[in-house]
Amino acid sequence: MMDYRELYKIAKEAAKNAYAPYSRFRVGAALLTAGGKVYTGVNVENASYSAGICAERTAFVKAISEGEREFAAIAVDAGNAPAVPCGICRQFMAEFAPNIDVITGPMKEDEAGGGLRVRPLSQLLPEAFALQTEQPE
């Protein structure tokens, strides 16, 4: 399994590609699948603010569109600002990975532990909304 510090570094690198001309708040995410593959995502803003998408959902959508359905962890970087996934992202993640580990920073390069926080999604969203549905084959 990939080291969480390495996963966070991938999220930090991805944040450089964010499109955030309005908020200037660049966010990167690195999503680790159960099989060890990593999908990255960034926030992409739009002049019609609600049409933007967060980094976490971007990473999930990329992975899901490639057939992935099992996830182990997601790292989220927002530069020097401590950031956790927003409510929409938390609920979105709960649909696919209710037991995922959420890794947040900020991470200072000179610290051995990196200042990372690792929490299960259930701690960030204790009573996620869920419907009983059958998955199509």
Side-chain angles (χ1 to χ4, degrees), residues 21-129:
Y22 307 104
S23 71
R24 307 233 187 274
F25 190 68
R26 295 177 174 275
V27 181
L31 175 63
L32 178 64
T33 69
K37 192 167 181 181
V38 176
Y39 291 85
T40 60
V42 299
N43 60 317
V44 179
E45 296 178 347
N46 188 278
S48 173
Y49 293 145
S50 64
I53 186 168
C54 298
E56 300 91 329
R57 285 182 284 145
T58 300
F60 264 90
V61 169
K62 286 170 66 175
I64 292 163
S65 71
E66 296 297 321
E68 299 287 353
R69 293 295 186 274
E70 295 182 23
F71 306 98
I74 187 165
V76 181
D77 172 71
N80 290 325
V84 295
C86 72
I88 294 171
C89 287
R90 292 176 196 195
Q91 182 60 50
F92 192 93
M93 290 188 286
E95 180 84 11
F96 298 97
N99 299 313
I100 196 168
D101 282 338
V102 179
I103 303 133
T104 57
M107 183 173 78
K108 297 177 183 172
E109 297 298 331
D110 59 342
E111 290 182 15
L116 296 181
R117 266 187 96 176
V118 179
R119 290 168 282 188
L121 178 61
S122 60
Q123 184 179 345
L124 297 175
L125 186 66
E127 294 185 31
F129 180 77

